[in-house]
Amino acid sequence: ISDPANINETDFEVDEANGFTELHAASGVDTFVIGSSTYAIVTAVNDYDVEIIDISDVDNLVAKGSMEDDASLELDGATEVETFVIDSSTYAIVTARNDDGVQIIDISDVDNIVATDAETDGENSFTELEDARGVDVFTIDSSTYAIVASGVDDGVQIIDISDPENIVAKD
C-alpha cells in the first residue's frame, strides 16, 4: 500500500471475491519468497483452512493454492502460521485451535500445496497442543524447530520439524 491514507479497492481482497475462497475470519499471515515472487500464506479460523496469495504486485493480488480442513488434516480453527525452508523446499506450520494440533504443509508449488505431517495433542508424545494458538520457527545447530503456544495447556510444545514428513515432539 503505497499511500495508507488513500487505500482503494485494489489494495485488498476479501473472501469469496476474485478467486479468494479461504479468507473468512483470517487470523494469521506469513510471507515467503520463491524464485522472484513474494507470497503470503493466510490462515482462516472460520474457513478451517489456508490460502496462498501472490503479493508480488501489491496492486494486483492473485489467489494461488488453498487447503481446507478434512478428517486427515489439522486445520479446524487455523490460527497462526510460520514458513520455513528445509533443503530446497518451502513449508508452513499451521496451528489449529479446534483440532488441538499442528499441520505441516509443503508450499513449494504454490498452486498445488500438499499436507505432509500433522500432530494432535495427546498423541505421539505431543502434550501441549490443546487450543494451539501461536507458533514460531527457529534453528539451533543444524536442526529446525517450532515452538507452539497452547491456550488451554498453559504451556508450549517444542517440535523438531527438521523432517517435515515426520515431526517429533521434544521433551
Side-chain angles (χ1 to χ4, degrees):
I1 301 174
S2 55
D3 183 0
N6 293 303
I7 296 173
N8 63 54
E9 63 186 44
T10 63
D11 294 325
F12 60 89
E13 289 296 344
V14 297
D15 193 38
E16 301 298 328
N18 300 319
F20 291 87
T21 59
E22 311 299 341
L23 297 175
H24 188 218
S27 58
V29 65
D30 198 18
T31 59
F32 60 100
V33 175
I34 295 178
S36 61
S37 297
T38 302
Y39 301 95
I41 181 169
V42 181
T43 60
V45 172
N46 290 354
D47 273 338
Y48 314 127
D49 50 34
V50 297
E51 176 139 15
I52 306 285
I53 303 170
D54 186 336
I55 58 173
S56 300
D57 177 356
V58 296
D59 291 320
N60 185 30
L61 304 180
V62 178
K64 301 306 268 180
S66 63
M67 181 174 287
E68 187 173 348
D69 187 54
D70 66 21
S72 68
L73 300 173
E74 295 289 323
L75 293 174
D76 187 354
T79 51
E80 189 60 50
V81 61
E82 282 289 317
T83 57
F84 60 100
V85 175
I86 301 290
D87 297 325
S88 60
S89 296
T90 304
Y91 297 90
I93 182 170
V94 178
T95 58
R97 292 177 58 185
N98 299 342
D99 274 338
D100 298 325
V102 294
Q103 179 69 56
I104 305 291
I105 304 170
D106 185 338
I107 56 175
S108 301
D109 178 351
V110 295
D111 292 310
N112 299 296
I113 60 178
V114 178
T116 60
D117 196 8
E119 292 294 343
T120 304
D121 189 63
E123 296 180 11
N124 301 321
S125 300
F126 287 85
T127 59
E128 303 297 322
L129 294 179
E130 189 172 357
D131 191 21
R133 293 180 180 228
V135 63
D136 199 17
V137 173
F138 60 98
T139 301
I140 295 178
D141 298 324
S142 61
S143 295
T144 303
Y145 300 94
I147 183 168
V148 177
S150 164
V152 172
D153 286 327
D154 297 329
V156 295
Q157 179 79 63
I158 303 290
I159 305 170
D160 186 337
I161 57 174
S162 300
D163 177 359
E165 302 270 339
N166 185 32
I167 61 176
V168 178
K170 301 307 286 181
D171 293 332

